[in-house]
Amino acid sequence: MKIHERLYGKLHAGVATGHNVLGLLKQQRGDLEGAKECFQHALDVGKSAVGVNHHDYAVYLNNQARLLWSQNKDSRQAAKLGSQALAIASQKLGADHPRTKQYRDDWGGGN
């Protein structure tokens, strides 16, 4: 990540995506706190790099939400983040897009 930050700057979309991917890897390895930090970095960088209404930002929201949900730590916050991801995906990708459908299934948005 440090190389990406030096090459592109700390507020670049690629840096946000890198943090997100690193979070997924940490989650798979069982480092849930590390994953949470990476997902939060992705959200922080993504907010500036692509904006809060971008479909990539929805991915970062959904990953953080799923992590929180899986830990049974903060289901209210998880549902809030998941609902935001669903709203962004619906608006930017359309109701029939596979990602939108996934978020709808995950967060109870109906059919």
Side-chain angles (χ1 to χ4, degrees):
M1 287 309 314
K2 300 232 183 255
I3 293 171
H4 277 109
E5 289 176 356
R6 276 185 277 190
L7 285 172
Y8 305 116
K10 290 186 178 190
L11 299 178
H12 187 274
V15 172
T17 298
H19 282 295
N20 186 63
V21 170
L22 186 57
L24 292 170
L25 290 171
K26 288 185 179 211
Q27 186 175 11
Q28 282 185 328
R29 293 179 159 223
D31 180 5
L32 302 183
E33 285 304 312
K36 184 177 177 183
E37 284 181 25
C38 288
F39 292 147
Q40 188 58 54
H41 284 301
L43 287 166
D44 293 343
V45 173
K47 185 175 186 177
S48 296
V50 298
V52 297
N53 292 315
H54 193 277
H55 60 89
D56 284 345
Y57 192 78
V59 172
Y60 312 149
L61 285 168
N62 192 62
N63 287 341
Q64 183 76 298
R66 289 179 65 124
L67 177 66
L68 291 173
W69 190 267
S70 72
Q71 291 181 294
N72 293 318
K73 284 193 172 183
D74 194 347
S75 59
R76 188 176 302 218
Q77 180 66 8
K80 178 181 173 188
L81 296 175
S83 293
Q84 288 176 312
L86 173 58
I88 295 166
S90 294
Q91 180 185 26
K92 297 298 180 179
L93 302 174
D96 293 329
H97 190 278
R99 191 175 298 157
T100 305
K101 289 179 180 181
Q102 175 196 341
Y103 296 169
R104 193 177 314 117
D105 289 344
D106 287 347
W107 305 111
N111 287 333

